[in-house]
Amino acid sequence: MHVTHLSLADFRSYARVEVPLDPGVSVFVGANGQGKTNLVEAVGYLATLGSHRVASDAPLVRMGAERAVIRAAVTQGERQQLVELELNPGRANRARINRSSQVRPRDVLGIVRTVLFAPEDLALVKGDPGERRRFLDELITARSPRMAGVRSDYERVLKQRNTLLKSAAMARRHGGRSMDMSTLDVWDQHLAQVGAELLAQRLDLIAVLQPMTDKAYEQLAPGGGPVLLEYRSSVGGGVGAGQSREELYGLLLAALVEARKQEIERGVTLVGPHRDDLVLKLGELPAKGYASHGESWSYALSLRLASYDLLRGEGNEPVLVLDDVFAELDARRRERLAELVAPGEQVLVTAAVDDDVPGVLSGARYVVSGGEVARV
Ligand SMILES: Nc1ncnc2c1ncn2[C@@H]1O[C@H](COP(=O)(O)OP(=O)(O)O)[C@@H](O)[C@H]1O
Ligand SMILES: [Mg+2]
């Protein structure tokens, strides 16, 4: 798929902007702080309902404005669709497809698909487990938009279970009446049920992503691998690809029973996909804490390239976004990455300096300056 028109109102630094887009490569050039990333962040938001830079919507609304609107015309094969999201921080966001009446924002998922490379990606390798969980879960949702519902169900169940544990912890500390444990039993079952679905999807994803990531790493840094993606579950050993939902449900439930005493002491859920990690190994060692800066970059890029291969292989080619990444890379990695992405159906590149963008990425050029985007 590709975006043929992007339109923003009160999004980040833009009061209003209209950007017609072609398939193929588009390069957005402009000095720092002119609004290049803001543009591609908006495209990414349509694909994930989140920003790759901030966890909440508030910073996405132009200072002084009440709401932001992102609108995109999208072409997939013969099909054309118009998607629109209205961001209302503190209140529910609204969505429309083809100007029809309201749909839920999550119904928009799957129309725009992106794989976004950004300087923030280094945190995939060097950052906290939460970064890697988000990577997995966003890719799961891109493959199968209904998983957005499973993810929000899980968040909801987790929140309610934590509330219950917290009050149990309080009651214990203050010598109050002890809680009725059968309520907690019910929440254990909910958590294990939804958690097993999420866990199964993650394990399945990692199994298909593994060879693709290894291949991408070899292309970017020949001879530097192998890379190995290893899922580390808070349930402990015994969790692996190919297990049925029922088996995973049983494992999760057993682990919750095991952890209950400690959970009540601490007032928080200690077992479940929200406590898991994806250990990224380079050779024998985990990349985090061991890999060099260059190796970490190659690893992060490999994960993104593998995501791209995966989504493309499943039918609907995503838009590739390369936000300010060439400045971060040495000449060799720059050229390799550019060659790998150049044939994409649509590639959006941002750069402060034209010269940082490898020649193989020739295409449309836009200058971003003073809140305006002009094709040159
Ligand atoms: N909510 C907002 N309201 C107004 N301006 C914003 C908002 N969020 C970010 N900006 C401005 O946008 C600019 C950064 O834009 P960005 O796209 O990140 O720049 P770059 O071209 O370097 O990628 C900064 O000047 C920042 O102050
Ligand atoms: Mg930027």
Side-chain angles (χ1 to χ4, degrees):
M1 47 92 23
H2 63 272
V3 176
T4 55
H5 192 97
L6 176 70
S7 157
L8 304 177
D10 290 331
F11 183 86
R12 289 282 199 187
S13 53
Y14 293 101
R16 283 206 80 94
V17 71
E18 304 290 333
V19 188
L21 292 163
D22 289 334
V25 178
S26 295
V27 181
F28 298 87
V29 182
N32 282 326
Q34 293 302 307
K36 305 181 298 294
T37 300
N38 294 346
L39 288 176
V40 294
E41 185 180 37
V43 178
Y45 195 100
L46 291 172
T48 61
L49 302 182
S51 156
H52 70 288
R53 293 197 286 188
V54 288
S56 79
D57 287 348
L60 305 179
V61 177
R62 193 168 67 93
M63 192 60 74
E66 221 169 284
R67 65 181 69 85
V69 177
I70 310 172
R71 193 180 300 130
V74 178
T75 294
Q76 184 197 343
E78 299 291 294
R79 192 161 180 216
Q80 317 231 348
Q81 292 190 88
L82 190 68
V83 285
E84 185 180 315
L85 281 176
E86 183 185 287
L87 278 51
N88 298 302
R91 285 179 299 127
N93 290 344
R94 284 142 55 111
R96 294 202 302 171
I97 299 173
N98 297 331
R99 300 190 191 281
S100 71
S101 57
Q102 305 274 325
V103 294
R104 292 173 309 174
R106 83 163 78 126
D107 295 327
V108 160
L109 290 169
I111 297 177
V112 174
R113 306 219 291 176
T114 58
V115 171
L116 192 147
F117 296 71
E120 286 81 1
D121 286 347
L122 205 53
L124 276 178
V125 181
K126 297 188 178 232
D128 294 337
E131 303 279 350
R132 291 176 288 281
R133 288 193 297 265
R134 185 162 68 107
F135 166 75
L136 293 174
D137 292 346
E138 279 184 356
L139 194 49
I140 284 169
T141 311
R143 292 178 83 191
S144 144
R146 74 167 186 93
M147 285 303 294
V150 174
R151 284 168 69 192
S152 73
D153 285 350
Y154 187 79
E155 291 303 319
R156 187 176 44 80
V157 171
L158 181 64
K159 214 168 139 192
Q160 301 201 1
R161 191 173 181 277
N162 280 342
T163 306
L164 202 61
L165 285 170
K166 224 163 272 157
S167 56
M170 288 280 269
R172 228 180 110 98
R173 237 169 270 143
H174 297 102
R177 208 159 50 87
S178 66
M179 209 182 56
D180 177 9
M181 286 302 154
S182 64
T183 319
L184 201 52
D185 289 343
V186 174
W187 285 106
D188 283 8
Q189 288 160 23
H190 285 321
L191 194 87
Q193 192 86 50
V194 191
E197 179 66 27
L198 191 54
L199 195 50
Q201 293 279 347
R202 284 189 190 168
L203 294 169
D204 177 54
L205 171 65
I206 291 164
V208 291
L209 210 55
Q210 162 67 49
M212 293 176 166
T213 312
D214 195 47
K215 183 181 126 220
Y217 196 93
E218 180 61 22
Q219 286 170 322
L220 284 170
V227 305
L228 187 68
L229 312 181
E230 205 175 88
Y231 194 75
R232 186 164 298 163
S233 167
S234 53
V235 164
V239 168
Q243 271 169 325
S244 69
R245 304 283 190 279
E246 290 69 33
E247 284 172 298
L248 294 171
Y249 173 79
L251 286 168
L252 273 166
L253 205 56
L256 285 166
V257 169
E258 182 101 357
R260 179 171 286 190
K261 189 159 166 282
Q262 214 193 343
E263 287 189 328
I264 290 177
E265 272 164 22
R266 307 215 354 221
V268 59
T269 300
L270 298 170
V271 173
H274 67 291
R275 303 281 290 201
D276 295 354
D277 196 1
L278 172 66
V279 180
L280 305 173
K281 283 192 166 167
L282 186 58
E284 296 288 302
L285 297 170
K288 183 176 175 173
Y290 290 89
S292 72
H293 188 73
E295 286 171 333
S296 301
W297 254 115
S298 295
Y299 215 130
L301 295 173
S302 303
L303 288 167
R304 293 295 181 201
L305 283 169
S307 310
Y308 176 54
D309 277 349
L310 177 67
L311 293 180
R312 187 166 52 168
E314 290 176 349
N316 185 4
E317 188 166 330
V319 176
L320 272 169
V321 177
L322 286 88
D323 180 29
D324 221 5
V325 291
F326 291 113
E328 306 271 348
L329 304 176
D330 58 48
R332 203 180 48 126
R333 284 190 182 83
R334 222 184 255 188
E335 292 298 330
R336 289 231 156 88
L337 177 62
E339 279 160 26
L340 291 170
V341 301
E345 178 176 339
Q346 186 168 52
V347 187
L348 309 179
V349 182
T350 77
V353 196
D354 234 331
D355 291 348
D356 282 347
V357 183
V360 53
L361 289 175
S362 61
R365 283 276 186 289
Y366 297 78
V367 170
V368 180
S369 166
E372 287 183 15
V373 183
R375 187 153 174 179
V376 292

